[in-house]
Amino acid sequence: MTAANVYQQRPTTGAKAESSLHHADLASLVGKGRKNAGVTVREKKLLGHLTIRGDGHDPAFAAGVHKALGLELPGALAVIIKGETSLQWLGPDEWLLVVPTGEEFAAEQKLREALGDLHIQIVNVSGGQQILELSGPNVRDVLMKSTSYDVHPSNFPVGKAVGTVFAKSQLVIRHTAEDTWELVIRRSFSDYWWLWLQDAAAEYGLSVQA
């Protein structure tokens, strides 16, 4: 195991954790949208986000990741999902691990133990980003309004994930199921993207899911 110091960054006292859209009070909007809305948004808040860097061509690195997470190392532009845990390719030597709330500390410890003395980097970025899940028959229409990246099924099948320009800013789009997509967004841009989605989805109807 590496000699890096690993700390529990999530408060374990009475401190209250809030998502970057806490002030928007999305919970109060549940059930108030248009019936049979074409787009439904769900805030997947306060999940654990870890970036992992290492040599993807090294069998020992891939085996260590699999041992720690039970997930194969995804290749270029791919995301692998197992329950509430996902592992996504970000670049030739970088991946994003998303785990359920509160499990990021244990996940990092398992990874460091399994990867031993390999040349790696693991960074907890949970506080800097979150995920918005979009579902419904008109999500692709909203995406086509928002990004120049080709989201046609032939180019963007389920299981693909890309970092791209979205509404004149940067984020990651993940196609997780037939009519379900995820936006991995930076915390500081949450307001901007929430306002953008409301406007882009207005003609199809937008509903909020808890």
Side-chain angles (χ1 to χ4, degrees):
M1 184 172 179
T2 64
N5 291 321
V6 182
Y7 300 99
Q8 171 60 274
Q9 298 183 41
R10 190 177 294 272
T12 56
T13 60
K16 183 179 179 181
E18 295 180 348
S19 78
S20 57
L21 285 175
H22 171 78
H23 65 283
D25 194 13
L26 298 189
S28 69
L29 301 177
V30 174
K32 295 184 178 179
R34 184 192 305 178
K35 291 184 178 180
N36 301 317
V39 180
T40 297
V41 61
R42 180 166 72 99
E43 184 186 17
K44 301 180 74 171
K45 56 187 178 182
L46 303 178
L47 299 177
H49 294 238
L50 300 169
T51 57
I52 307 167
R53 303 199 72 166
D55 183 358
H57 298 293
D58 183 354
F61 177 72
V65 171
H66 183 267
K67 178 181 178 181
L69 307 177
L71 295 172
E72 299 291 340
L73 204 61
L77 303 180
V79 58
I80 295 176
I81 300 173
K82 181 181 179 182
E84 296 183 9
T85 298
S86 64
L87 185 61
Q88 176 198 333
W89 183 91
L90 291 178
D93 64 352
E94 186 174 13
W95 292 262
L96 171 66
L97 171 66
V98 178
V99 297
T101 303
E103 294 186 13
E104 59 274 15
F105 181 56
E108 181 174 354
Q109 289 181 310
K110 289 180 180 178
L111 280 164
R112 290 191 180 278
E113 181 178 355
L115 294 171
D117 295 325
L118 296 178
H119 185 62
I120 62 166
Q121 180 188 69
I122 303 172
V123 180
N124 186 336
V125 295
S126 305
Q129 60 189 40
Q130 70 176 66
I131 295 175
L132 292 180
E133 180 188 81
L134 304 178
S135 59
N138 293 112
V139 174
R140 196 184 302 274
D141 298 301
V142 170
L143 295 178
M144 286 191 291
K145 286 185 178 185
S146 307
T147 180
S148 60
Y149 194 87
D150 184 3
V151 295
H152 189 275
S154 63
N155 184 64
F156 210 137
V158 173
K160 185 172 181 177
V162 299
T164 186
V165 174
F166 184 100
K168 299 182 181 180
S169 55
Q170 297 264 334
L171 52 61
V172 171
I173 304 176
R174 305 166 15 143
H175 195 182
T176 56
E178 188 59 36
D179 286 327
T180 304
W181 304 68
E182 291 180 347
L183 306 180
V184 183
I185 64 176
R186 290 199 298 272
R187 184 182 183 92
S188 58
F189 276 75
S190 296
D191 274 338
Y192 173 67
W193 281 313
W194 168 232
L195 293 172
W196 178 280
L197 288 173
Q198 291 178 74
D199 182 69
E203 66 178 291
Y204 312 110
L206 178 66
S207 66
V208 176
Q209 185 180 57

